[in-house]
Amino acid sequence: MKIINLSKCYEEHIVLRKLNLFLEEGNVYALMGPSGCGKTTLLHILLGIVKADSGTVEGFSGKRFSAVFQENRLFEFLTAAENVEVVQRKPQNPEKIREILKEILPEASLDQKTGEFSGGMKRRAAIARAMLADSDVIVMDEPLTGLDETTRNQVISFILKYRRDRTLLFSTHQEKEVELFHAEKILLV
């Protein structure tokens, strides 16, 4: 997968300038850099949410993406399991989904609507939905923000367990997260 001379401006502010990257399928990549350097913009371009001003993206056509955005984007009137079921291409056993969700959510929360969840529980539900979706590429925008250290480590283990050799591209400000994910760092400036 290649990103060739990718550029994006917002009015006078240049966030990406002739960016070139080669991403090997199945690897884990961490986007790092100061706020405003284009991490979220790049992820949004790859997801087709934002259009680049110039440059090309190759090798992503036909790929199925799952995503975790900076905001959780859950269906808050649904349970965590129902949020996962929504992104399944083929129906899955609801009990199996519940068992998997118990790995990162308290069992008592599984019958609650996600709108009743704390911020950290919503984040974990959004991550679980992305990890359990049928996808080829997983894109996460600062997925661990707001999680305490114990929960963060639990969620990283969950992500790595359910990645299934899919390409994972995430943004972070934390060098420790790059290490914990065994990710290749991509520095945007």
Side-chain angles (χ1 to χ4, degrees), residues 36-183:
C37 73
K39 296 181 300 290
T40 297
T41 297
L42 175 58
L43 297 177
H44 285 185
I45 289 169
L46 296 177
L47 290 168
I49 296 169
V50 171
K51 186 169 173 29
D53 295 332
S54 62
T56 58
V57 175
E58 298 176 1
F60 288 91
S61 181
K63 302 276 188 221
R64 295 169 301 172
F65 286 81
S66 58
V68 174
F69 297 92
Q70 284 186 359
E71 60 285 341
N72 295 312
R73 298 189 183 187
L74 294 167
F75 295 106
E76 293 199 350
F77 56 91
L78 298 177
T79 65
E82 290 166 338
N83 268 277
V84 170
E85 289 172 26
V86 166
V87 299
Q88 300 295 307
R89 289 175 10 142
K90 294 180 271 183
Q92 301 293 319
N93 179 334
E95 280 308 310
K96 182 178 180 187
I97 292 171
R98 285 177 63 93
E99 285 303 311
I100 293 170
L101 288 173
K102 286 181 200 176
E103 295 177 34
I104 59 169
L105 286 170
E107 186 173 359
S109 72
L110 298 182
D111 293 317
Q112 294 178 300
K113 305 298 183 201
T114 56
E116 301 170 23
F117 282 11
S118 68
M121 287 170 54
K122 286 180 182 180
R123 195 63 176 164
R124 287 178 272 164
I127 288 167
R129 181 180 60 190
M131 296 313 301
L132 299 176
D134 296 319
S135 64
D136 305 305
V137 179
I138 306 158
V139 174
M140 298 182 164
D141 199 355
E142 299 185 28
L144 305 177
T145 299
L147 300 179
D148 62 58
E149 186 175 351
T150 301
T151 304
R152 182 188 70 192
N153 292 337
Q154 181 184 30
V155 169
I156 289 170
S157 294
F158 182 88
I159 291 169
L160 293 174
K161 178 179 179 179
Y162 290 100
R163 185 175 70 86
R164 299 186 312 266
D165 296 323
R166 294 177 285 178
T167 304
L168 171 60
L169 181 62
F170 69 97
S171 66
T172 182
H173 290 282
Q174 306 298 320
E175 196 73 47
K176 182 74 173 165
E177 291 176 14
V178 178
E179 294 170 24
L180 292 170
F181 275 107
H182 308 289

Side-chain angles (χ1 to χ4, degrees), residues 1-7 16-23 42 55-56 186-188:
M1 298 181 288
K2 296 179 186 174
I3 297 164
I4 304 164
N5 291 323
L6 199 68
S7 296
L16 295 172
R17 183 190 313 250
K18 296 189 177 192
L19 177 66
N20 290 287
L21 292 174
F22 174 76
L23 305 175
L42 175 58
T56 58
I186 298 170
L187 187 60
L188 299 179

